[in-house]
């Protein structure tokens, strides 16, 4: 039922449904996790953090709460709890590669030493060396840490793996390559990759709402902020929840 409203972009209804569910099932750890995600998608990071923490208290072995909640704890300023979760993850899920990336992302967001954060990111690609997304996320974190040359190498590896797996789109990887080339002072190459990204983004957005946020990112890279906002809001209305991250990034760029 909540997915129906998500696909309509009516996230406030999703919050109401999960709140009602939890009034009848207050000990449901997974219910609290999904309630947290619903609050997050409505822009309530503080409320989401509280919901994720409640879920974790009820079931600290529920992997999904760490994956969804750790970035929100960092963003909401709940750094003490975030660090406690990092210890818990190391104990309960030491070989879960995607959680290694979440830890690295959270540490960077909390202002921790970049090398300490990137140690977790490197661990992720050691655990999943054949996955495009593992290398892409590693490259993204390297770029955030101010190491664009290393980021480009990681993203090139991600792109090679994407082609090997017959995924010629790999839109996130191409977008991050655009940003990395810009950071390296190579605007001509960045523009060439961006043109390719724009074409692929338009094609994929026609195929499925799951790709609807990418045209907004193309416009963001072009500096067309008003058009990017319209594109992200249209994607959000179509049920593309990732578009909310695009709007947040747009606000950061304009602020």
């Amino acid at each position: 039922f909540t997915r129906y409203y998500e696909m309509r972009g009516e996230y406030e209804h999703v919050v109401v449904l999960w709140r009602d569910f939890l009034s009848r099932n207050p000990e449901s750890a997974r219910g609290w996790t999904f309630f947290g995600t619903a609050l997050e998608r409505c822009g309530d990071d503080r409320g989401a953090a509280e919901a994720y923490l409640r879920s974790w208290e009820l079931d600290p072995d529920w992997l999904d709460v760490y994956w969804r909640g750790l970035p929100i704890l960092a963003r909401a300023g709940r750094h003490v709890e975030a660090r406690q979760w990092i210890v818990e993850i190391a104990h309960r899920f030491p070989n879960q590669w995607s959680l290694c990336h979440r830890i690295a992302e959270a540490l960077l967001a909390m202002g921790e030493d970049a090398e300490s954060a990137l140690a977790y990111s490197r661990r992720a690609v050691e655990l999943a060396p054949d996955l495009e997304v593992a290398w892409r996320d590693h490259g993204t974190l390297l770029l955030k840490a101010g190491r664009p040359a290393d980021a480009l190498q990681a993203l090139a590896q991600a792109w090679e793996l994407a082609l090997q797996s017959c995924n010629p789109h790999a839109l996130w990887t191409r977008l991050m390559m655009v940003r990395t080339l810009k950071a390296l002072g190579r605007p001509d190459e960045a523009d060439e990759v961006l043109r390719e990204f724009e074409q692929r983004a338009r094609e994929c957005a026609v195929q499925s709402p799951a790709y609807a946020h990418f045209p907004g990112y193309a416009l963001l890279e072009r500096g067309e902020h008003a058009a990017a906002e319209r594109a992200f809001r249209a994607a959000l209305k179509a049920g593309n929840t990732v578009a909310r991250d695009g709007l947040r990034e747009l606000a950061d760029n304009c602020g």
Side-chain angles (χ1 to χ4, degrees), residues 130-144:
D130 298 324
L131 287 182
E132 175 223 335
V133 64
W135 283 97
R136 182 198 73 206
D137 287 351
H138 183 44
T140 300
L141 289 164
L142 284 164
L143 182 60
K144 288 182 179 179

Side-chain angles (χ1 to χ4, degrees), residues 11-12 16 29 43 70 74 93 112 149 179 231:
Y11 305 107
E12 292 78 7
V16 170
L70 186 56
F93 309 102
E112 296 291 333
R179 295 181 174 182

Side-chain angles (χ1 to χ4, degrees), residues 14-51:
V14 180
V15 170
V16 170
L17 285 169
W18 280 119
R19 184 174 281 121
D20 178 65
F21 173 84
L22 289 167
S23 71
R24 292 176 283 107
N25 303 274
E27 302 302 308
S28 171
R30 299 188 180 197
W32 281 103
T33 291
F34 299 137
F35 181 49
T37 300
L39 290 169
E40 175 192 344
R41 288 172 176 171
C42 285
D44 183 2
D45 285 348
R46 290 186 179 182
E50 292 291 348

Side-chain angles (χ1 to χ4, degrees), residues 128-186:
D130 298 324
L131 287 182
E132 175 223 335
V133 64
W135 283 97
R136 182 198 73 206
D137 287 351
H138 183 44
T140 300
L141 289 164
L142 284 164
L143 182 60
K144 288 182 179 179
R147 293 173 52 177
D150 294 333
L152 188 61
Q153 290 184 7
L155 292 167
Q157 178 65 20
W159 181 240
E160 182 178 338
L161 288 169
L163 294 179
Q164 289 175 9
S165 63
C166 300
N167 178 15
H169 302 303
L171 290 173
W172 280 120
T173 294
R174 298 307 272 172
L175 175 61
M176 294 314 303
M177 291 183 81
V178 171
R179 295 181 174 182
T180 302
L181 288 166
K182 286 182 178 179
L184 288 167
R186 294 157 62 174

Side-chain angles (χ1 to χ4, degrees), residues 73-89:
L73 293 185
R75 199 161 69 213
R78 304 295 293 266
H79 293 179
V80 172
E81 293 91 340
R83 291 186 178 92
Q84 186 177 359
W85 278 25
I86 290 171
V87 173
E88 288 288 320
I89 290 168

